[in-house]
Structures are given as C-alpha cells and as structure tokens.
Amino acid sequence: MVCARTAQAARSGADSRLREEASRLAELHARQESQYEALLARSKAELGRAAERAEIQAQSLAVARDMKAREERARERETQVARRKELLNTLSERRDERWRLRDRVAKELTGKLEGLIRISVAQHGNRTMYRKTLNELLPRSRQLVNRIVDAPIPPRDLVRFVATRDASSIAEAAGIQPDPAEAALQTLRAGDVSELEIVDVEDEPAIELKLGDGEETWRRSTSASSGETSNSVFPIVLLESDRPLVIDQPEDNLDAQLLYRTCLVMAKTRRQLIFVTHNPTVVILGRSARVFVMAGDAESGRVASFGTVEERKIDILLLDGGREAFEARKTLYG
C-alpha cells in the first residue's frame, strides 16, 4: 500500500511539473508569437517605408533631372537672348548703313540736278508698319498708338519700357497721362511685343521741285499738282541711263523751260531722245536734230516727210497755228 501511494504521489508530482512546464512553454510560445507578430509588423512597416523611400528617391531623381533640364534651358535662353540682342544690333546697323547709302545717292542726285530738283531721305520717316503693328497690339487705343508713334518712341525703346514696366517713360515721351500709359503697358505685357523689335521704320524719301526763278521756293511732290509732280520726276528719269528714251506728248505735263533745261542741257549729249508732240515749242527748244512729220488716219500712220528743223520749218509753223498765228504772237511779244 505504501508503494502504491508513493507511485501515485510521484505521478501526481510529475503531472504537476508537466502542467507547469506546459504552462511555461505556452507562455514562452505566446511571447515568441507576439514578438514574431511585432517583428512581422515592423518588417511590413519597413517594407512600406522602403517603398516610400524608393518612391521619394525616384521623385528626387526626377526633380533633379527637371532642375538640370531647367538650368540647361535657362542657359540656352540666355544664349538665345544674347544672340537675339546681337542680331538686333546688327539689324539696326544695317538699317543705318542703308540710310547712309540712300542719303548719299539723294545728295548726288541733287547735285546732278543743278538746283532744279532737291532730293532728301528722312531716316525712319515712314512709320506705316510701326503704326500698323502697334495698332494690332493695342486695337482699342488708336489715338494712344498715334501719340506713341508720332512722338516718336522708337520700337526698341518701347519694348524696353514694357520689359522694365516703365510706364512713366512712355507717358513722358508720348505726352500722355500716367493711367493710359500704364494700361497700354499692361496690355503690351500680356501680348507678344517681339515683333515690335524688328518692325522696319522705313526711311522716307522726299522730292522737291523749285518754283520760279526768284527767291527759292520749294514744293514737295506729294503736295504738288500732277504737272509739278511730272516736272519733279522727269529730270530724275533722265539721269541714270544712256539708252534711247521715247516721250509721248511731253507738253501735256511738263513745263517747257524745264524740258529745255533737262533735255538739252542735261541729257541730250548722253542719250537719244525721241519726242512725239503736237507742240512746236518742244521741237524748237529741244533743238531737234531730226524732225519726222507724221500723217495718217485711224487705221495707220506714216512718215510724210523728214529733215532738219530748218528744212521742216513750214511743218513746224503749221503746228504753231500757221503763219498768221506766228505773226500775231510776234507782234504781241514785240
């Protein structure tokens, strides 16, 4: 009996230790499981942060590439701006040289015309294209455009005022109030003013005809009659060529004295001049070397006779109205 009770007590102690060990093992397992779960969670978090870091790194690389490209574009823009400025300066120099050449030719022609005609070239005098371009940029400010163009504010200066937001200089140069100048500046800044920098403000030639033989009086061809305009252009036509020139009825638009001075004094020794005329004054003043008397009808014409002025003076007299008309004028003129 004693042995049985001892064995039972031993088994009971063993069971108790087993239960304690199992409890301890379960507690250890639970702790390890918790640690594992925590480790797994940290791993997942680390993976997420790694992915986030990778994304941030990718974004950082993209930003770096964009910044580098932007810097390259900025340098390229600076290069292009400098190149544009250089080209604009060259363009301005070429236009100045063009005006100098035109001015030199105008002075040479004026000298050759011996006081009959005066030719000049006003640099940047023709602002038509400037006005048109600025009207397109300021379509609702025609009066303001005229003030700016007529001031005149050169196109490149206007572009500089716009770039530097200098409305006061626009107002001062154009003689306008600050508010409309500021409004115009804002409108121009919102558009593309690059065309203004290259617009060609052309040189403007002027042809003036000397009137009368007394005190010098000059009239521009643009404000002259059709006859005066012809008188101002005709001597220029005669200058620059040695080819034969046919002139049909010069008496319709040319002054007889001018015709004499230009044709006989200036051109006759250098080129052949052929006049078709009903006016004997042209024949006489021109001291024609050869006279051809024409006859014909509506269908055709023919040379009826020809010869020198002396040989054909009867025909010339007929052009003058006949002997009676000639004698009447002779008596009138004394």
Side-chain angles (χ1 to χ4, degrees):
M1 286 294 290
V2 174
C3 290
R5 283 196 296 271
T6 302
Q8 185 177 1
R11 284 196 300 272
S12 177
D15 289 341
S16 177
R17 288 193 297 274
L18 283 174
R19 283 193 297 272
E20 289 176 0
E21 189 65 27
S23 175
R24 188 182 66 79
L25 186 62
E27 184 181 346
L28 180 61
H29 179 72
R31 190 164 55 249
Q32 289 178 341
E33 186 69 21
S34 176
Q35 291 174 347
Y36 173 73
E37 292 293 337
L39 183 61
L40 187 61
R42 285 198 301 271
S43 177
K44 288 181 179 179
E46 286 297 328
L47 287 174
R49 283 193 289 271
E52 186 178 350
R53 283 195 298 271
E55 183 179 353
I56 291 173
Q57 288 175 346
Q59 291 175 351
S60 178
L61 288 173
V63 170
R65 286 195 299 269
D66 289 345
M67 290 182 64
K68 184 178 180 180
R70 183 176 179 180
E71 290 172 358
E72 290 177 353
R73 287 195 296 270
R75 287 194 294 271
E76 178 63 20
R77 184 179 184 278
E78 290 177 1
T79 301
Q80 293 299 331
V81 168
R83 177 59 177 160
R84 178 180 175 83
K85 184 177 180 180
E86 180 184 337
L87 291 173
L88 286 171
N89 289 335
T90 301
L91 179 62
S92 179
E93 291 170 2
R94 294 292 184 270
R95 286 172 174 171
D96 288 344
E97 179 63 21
R98 179 182 65 183
W99 172 77
R100 285 191 289 270
L101 290 172
R102 288 172 170 173
D103 184 61
R104 187 183 70 192
V105 170
K107 289 176 179 177
E108 289 175 355
L109 289 174
T110 298
K112 291 178 181 179
L113 291 167
E114 300 178 355
L116 292 172
I117 308 296
R118 187 166 63 186
I119 303 173
S120 60
V121 181
Q123 189 175 21
H124 309 317
N126 185 345
R127 305 185 185 99
T128 302
M129 285 306 300
Y130 182 19
R131 198 181 310 274
K132 178 178 181 295
T133 303
L134 196 53
N135 271 319
E136 291 172 355
L137 293 170
L138 298 171
R140 300 180 181 178
S141 308
R142 188 172 298 274
Q143 185 175 0
L144 177 61
V145 167
N146 290 336
R147 296 290 292 273
I148 291 173
V149 172
D150 295 335
I153 301 176
R156 288 189 69 180
D157 285 357
L158 180 59
V159 171
R160 179 166 52 83
F161 294 153
V162 171
T164 57
R165 302 176 186 267
D166 190 358
S168 61
S169 290
I170 297 177
E172 182 180 354
I176 59 178
Q177 295 298 315
D179 287 347
E182 180 64 33
L185 185 145
Q186 295 303 328
T187 302
L188 290 172
R189 283 188 63 84
D192 181 9
V193 296
S194 60
E195 283 297 316
L196 278 177
E197 287 189 295
I198 60 173
V199 68
D200 192 2
V201 185
E202 260 284 10
D203 304 327
E204 185 172 52
I207 301 175
E208 296 174 288
L209 173 67
K210 184 179 179 182
L211 303 178
D213 295 325
E215 184 178 349
E216 282 197 4
T217 303
W218 297 87
R219 180 173 296 167
R220 293 187 65 156
S221 60
T222 52
S223 60
S225 66
S226 60
E228 288 172 334
T229 301
S230 298
N231 287 339
S232 62
V233 173
F234 181 66
I236 301 172
V237 174
L238 291 176
L239 280 179
E240 298 302 315
S241 177
D242 56 2
R243 297 179 180 179
L245 178 65
V246 179
I247 305 171
D248 186 16
Q249 293 188 218
E251 66 270 14
D252 288 351
N253 289 298
L254 293 175
D255 175 74
Q257 281 296 323
L258 179 74
L259 189 65
Y260 165 74
R261 293 178 66 183
T262 55
C263 291
L264 181 61
V265 177
M266 293 172 53
K268 188 177 178 182
T269 58
R270 293 187 294 103
R271 65 193 305 184
Q272 184 182 36
L273 302 172
I274 302 171
F275 293 96
V276 181
T277 181
H278 298 281
N279 190 331
T281 304
V282 174
V283 182
I284 300 301
L285 283 182
R287 298 184 183 178
S288 302
R290 200 75 165 167
V291 178
F292 293 84
V293 181
M294 305 298 294
D297 51 34
E299 298 297 328
S300 61
R302 59 184 177 82
V303 177
S305 59
F306 61 90
T308 64
V309 171
E310 181 66 28
E311 291 169 344
R312 306 300 345 139
K313 62 184 178 183
I314 297 300
D315 299 300
I316 297 171
L317 187 62
L318 290 175
L319 288 179
D320 208 21
R323 182 173 295 278
E324 290 182 0
F326 177 80
E327 293 293 344
R329 276 190 290 276
K330 181 181 178 181
T331 301
L332 177 64
Y333 296 149

